């Protein structure tokens, strides 16, 4: 059993040492809690559990603490993917839901598995997800002061369970101050993808990640025989011509765990019951 999570990027220019330590501590707590959950649950159930914990922590830009768009509203996106069935479900630009990843999970059982905007909101309300404001004072202050955030905040999880099954989940609160209706990578196969061979979750600038089809490329290359490291190297090299901003976490069917970013520094943590690693 293996587990790795990410919480977007950490920028020394916009955050301080106290925030860095707080994120390290939060990621350690969440990855170890989620690993305990993984012991008695599937990979798919676990990635939803882990990302829900990340959405509930205002240190990260997903769920509570999501960025505010240019019209003053918060719109979030999330997706999950089951590596065994290769089914993906997600929500795009959903509003006033505490845990978008749980709405994505609910959609997995439906034929129409990716919903956006009002359709996603209506589906959530019809299935018991109450209206919940994810805005925190810090985000409102940033918005009112028109302080543009770096735009690289997303959370995600990749899990390999005791039966060798892989799943991924990714959730984002957007980049902040974007045009309403803008689509992020998080609920697409560019930012969240898994099959029986590998699972990948991305964070970074959504447009760069979509342009490179990053998650899908990495998984496809591992499926075709690349090692995880080789697949990352080739795919991240393809970001270089346009200075693409991305970070990724992954686990393959052999239990190899890997992470890489194109710009410092993605915040992440991994745990397998014995070995723990967190971003430095």
């Amino acid at each position: 059993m293996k587990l790795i999570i990410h919480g977007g990027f950490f920028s020394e220019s916009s955050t301080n040492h106290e925030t860095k330590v707080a994120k390290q501590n939060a990621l350690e707590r969440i990855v170890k809690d989620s690993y305990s959950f993984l012991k008695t649950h599937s990979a798919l159930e676990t990635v939803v559990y882990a990302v829900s914990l990340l959405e509930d922590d205002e240190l990260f830009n997903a769920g509570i603490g999501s960025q505010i768009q240019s019209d003053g509203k918060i719109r979030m996106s999330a997706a999950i993917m089951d590596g065994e069935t290769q089914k993906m479900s997600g929500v795009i630009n959903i509003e006033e839901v505490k845990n978008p990843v749980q709405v994505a999970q609910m959609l997995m059982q439906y034929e129409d598995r990716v919903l956006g905007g009002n359709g996603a909101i209506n589906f959530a309300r019809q299935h018991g997800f109450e209206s919940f404001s994810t805005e925190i004072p810090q985000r409102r202050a940033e918005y009112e002061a028109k302080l543009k955030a770096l735009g690289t905040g997303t959370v995600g999880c990749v899990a390999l369970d005791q039966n060798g099954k892989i799943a991924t989940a990714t959730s984002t609160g957007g980049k902040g101050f974007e045009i309403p209706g803008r689509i992020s990578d998080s609920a697409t196969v560019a930012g969240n993808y898994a099959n029986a061979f590998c699972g990948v979750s991305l964070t970074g600038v959504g447009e760069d990640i979509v342009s490179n089809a990053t998650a899908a490329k990495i998984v496809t290359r591992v499926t075709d025989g690349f090692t995880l490291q080789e697949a990352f190297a080739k795919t991240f090299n393809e970001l270089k011509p346009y200075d693409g901003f991305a970070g990724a976490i992954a686990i393959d069917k052999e239990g190899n765990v890997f992470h890489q970013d194109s710009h410092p520094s993605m915040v992440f943590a991994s745990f397998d019951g014995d070995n723990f690693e967190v971003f430095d």
Side-chain angles (χ1 to χ4, degrees), residues 6-27 59-61 138-139 149-155 203-205 245-248 260-269 278-280:
H6 71 72
F9 275 81
F10 179 87
S11 171
E12 294 290 354
S13 64
S14 62
T15 50
N16 54 36
H17 179 71
E18 289 182 358
T19 301
K20 179 178 180 178
V21 172
K23 287 188 174 184
Q24 289 172 329
N25 291 339
L27 289 171
L59 283 170
F60 305 106
N61 176 22
Q138 176 190 339
R139 297 302 190 206
L150 187 59
T152 53
T154 302
V155 302
T203 181
V205 175
F245 200 131
Q260 185 173 336
D261 47 37
S262 62
H263 294 67
S265 294
M266 178 178 62
V267 307
F268 72 92
V278 69
F279 80 99
D280 187 5

